[in-house]
Amino acid sequence: MQDADGVTASRISLFGGFRIEKEAVGPLWLTGKRGPAIIAYLARCPGMSATRERLADLLWGDSDSEHSRNSLRQTLSVLRRDLSRAGVDLIHSRKELIGLRPDAVRVDVGEFESGLSARSAPELETALALCTGPFLDGFYLGSNAFDEWAASERERLLSRALESMEKLARLVDAESGLAVADRILAMEPTREEAYRLKMELLVACGQRDKASRTFEACRSILKKEFGVDVSPETRALWQSLSAADVSSGQQSVNGAPAVQHTGRPSISVADFVNLTGERGDDFFAKGLVHDITTALSEVASYIVISGLSPLEKSGEESRASAPRARYMLSGSVQRSGDELRVNVQLVDAVGGHNVWAQKFDGHFENALAFQDRIAQSV
């Protein structure tokens, strides 16, 4: 890759250790560990720059100010010499600031974090492929400040990777999702969320016996490592999955159609309650439900089940025919004059607890714009 001036950018890899290389040259050899430590830290700083004082404290915190400043100057001199031999102009300084040239470098961690906002499975897989190992794996400087910073980044990036892998597992088909869930558990064997994910996917694949063994494995490792039982959420999920009918098209005892699992969570959008009783507010509430359903349907991460209007079905008939979903989105609308208030809540239908809730205030004269704002927020 080249920058705007046609200069080949260097690549810094911080996952799995430290590595810097230049296209057509290969890996660059740097003297000692403090030079690479400076590059690694600057690569993660806003603007890829930091003050001399910060770098001196980070790498030589046990020394007095004068000694640490001298050590920093010497290390920077050696680092520039090593880079210059490879034809790499990477370090720049301006008064009290030391930095990397952002246009002359690519950093795997930065590309990884940018890619995690992807909404499609292929894009997310590309981002996750950059995480080839723990952040600065095996790189220890012997400076408490630097090693603590690296450990904190290592933990933060691992958490982001695991959360994104769980997201990926719900974007792909159930069998592919199972492979992702197994990767998560290999990286973090005590991650209870991953066991719940795997249980759901196994049931979706019709493998109830393996889902049962997964639940027991979760109980066993939590008991062994922490001396605790599974969380109420995990137990409730297992009880729900055990009773669920996963056969395609099969009806439950009360006649409600079972939602076919595809590795993605299902959300049912219920009709919003009109608390003021005005007919005009009924139309607003119905329009809001339609807008929210449309907005959620555009997100590939979910299966959206729209609620049935009471004008279409009511009473026992409505309850009996309503599809069962993992999550239920509901809300209420109330108006006082021109002032509107909408309360929205998302409930985990398995665990029975609130996942998210928010209050929105607006004006009736701008009802359509207000609907759009709520739908996009949800």
Side-chain angles (χ1 to χ4, degrees):
M1 179 180 177
Q2 296 182 333
D3 63 17
D5 298 323
V7 178
T8 302
S10 301
R11 179 163 186 83
I12 297 173
S13 300
L14 303 178
F15 282 125
F18 176 88
R19 180 185 177 94
I20 180 170
E21 54 190 324
K22 182 179 179 181
E23 189 177 342
V25 175
L28 307 184
W29 183 86
L30 302 178
T31 303
K33 281 191 172 183
R34 279 178 165 74
I38 289 174
I39 291 178
Y41 182 74
L42 292 176
R44 300 303 302 135
C45 285
M48 292 190 176
S49 63
T51 64
R52 293 177 184 270
E53 181 180 6
R54 173 57 182 156
L55 292 174
D57 289 343
L58 190 72
L59 275 62
W60 295 276
D62 296 334
S63 302
D64 59 68
S65 177
E66 183 178 356
H67 180 269
S68 61
R69 285 266 186 163
N70 287 335
S71 297
L72 176 61
R73 280 193 293 269
Q74 293 171 10
T75 301
L76 286 172
S77 176
V78 173
L79 180 58
R80 285 191 173 101
R81 182 197 66 197
D82 290 343
L83 293 173
S84 178
R85 286 174 177 171
V88 175
D89 181 16
L90 185 61
I91 305 292
H92 72 83
S93 58
R94 186 174 66 254
K95 294 183 179 180
E96 283 299 303
L97 282 180
I98 303 294
L100 305 180
R101 287 180 51 206
D103 60 339
V105 67
R106 297 168 58 199
V107 184
D108 61 346
V109 175
E111 294 175 352
F112 164 78
E113 293 205 272
S114 296
L116 295 186
S117 60
R119 298 177 69 174
S120 71
E123 291 175 324
L124 196 54
E125 286 176 326
T126 298
L128 287 168
L130 294 169
C131 184
T132 56
F135 178 77
L136 289 181
D137 190 27
F139 189 99
Y140 297 99
L141 194 62
S143 165
N144 289 338
F146 180 86
D147 291 339
E148 287 173 4
W149 166 78
S152 176
E153 275 291 278
R154 191 174 299 124
E155 183 177 348
R156 184 184 68 82
L157 290 168
L158 173 61
S159 178
R160 292 212 66 188
L162 295 175
E163 290 172 358
S164 297
M165 290 171 72
E166 289 170 354
K167 175 183 175 182
L168 174 63
R170 297 188 183 282
L171 288 174
V172 296
D173 62 87
E175 290 190 2
S176 299
L178 276 174
V180 177
D182 284 334
R183 283 173 54 200
I184 296 172
L185 289 171
M187 296 169 66
E188 192 80 359
T190 60
R191 189 174 179 85
E192 194 171 355
E193 300 95 320
Y195 284 101
R196 290 198 294 268
L197 171 64
K198 185 174 180 179
M199 287 159 56
E200 288 185 276
L201 294 171
L202 283 168
V203 171
C205 291
Q207 302 180 49
R208 289 198 193 188
D209 55 337
K210 290 187 178 181
S212 178
R213 290 198 294 271
T214 298
F215 175 71
E216 293 302 330
C218 180
R219 291 184 64 188
S220 176
I221 196 165
L222 292 180
K223 189 71 173 177
K224 177 182 177 181
E225 296 295 328
F226 308 117
V228 299
D229 197 3
V230 296
S231 67
E233 184 177 1
T234 300
R235 184 172 295 280
L237 172 62
W238 170 238
Q239 291 171 345
S240 172
L241 294 179
S242 297
D245 189 352
V246 296
S247 299
S248 176
Q250 188 170 354
Q251 300 289 310
S252 66
V253 175
N254 67 357
V259 176
Q260 185 173 0
H261 293 274
T262 63
R264 296 178 293 163
S266 53
I267 299 178
S268 177
V269 183
D271 287 319
F272 280 31
V273 178
N274 174 11
L275 297 179
T276 53
E278 296 292 334
R279 184 167 180 78
D281 297 342
D282 279 337
F283 293 126
F284 174 81
K286 287 175 63 65
L288 181 57
V289 169
H290 290 160
D291 284 353
I292 290 174
T293 301
T294 299
L296 287 173
S297 298
E298 293 174 352
V299 181
S301 308
Y302 307 108
I303 299 172
V304 182
I305 305 167
S306 59
L308 296 175
S309 168
L311 297 177
E312 298 168 356
K313 298 216 176 190
S314 61
E316 293 299 322
E317 182 186 2
S318 176
R319 286 191 293 273
S321 60
R324 293 170 296 155
R326 172 65 192 274
Y327 299 100
M328 172 68 73
L329 186 77
S330 60
S332 63
V333 176
Q334 53 185 318
R335 179 159 66 99
S336 176
D338 189 44
E339 301 294 323
L340 277 171
R341 170 164 293 177
V342 175
N343 287 285
V344 185
Q345 63 177 348
L346 181 67
V347 176
D348 186 328
V350 174
H353 61 272
N354 275 10
V355 176
W356 169 83
Q358 189 165 340
K359 177 180 67 177
F360 299 89
D361 291 321
H363 297 279
F364 192 76
E365 62 182 13
N366 298 319
L368 292 178
F370 188 36
Q371 284 180 352
D372 290 341
R373 177 162 67 89
I374 296 173
Q376 292 304 315
S377 297
V378 171

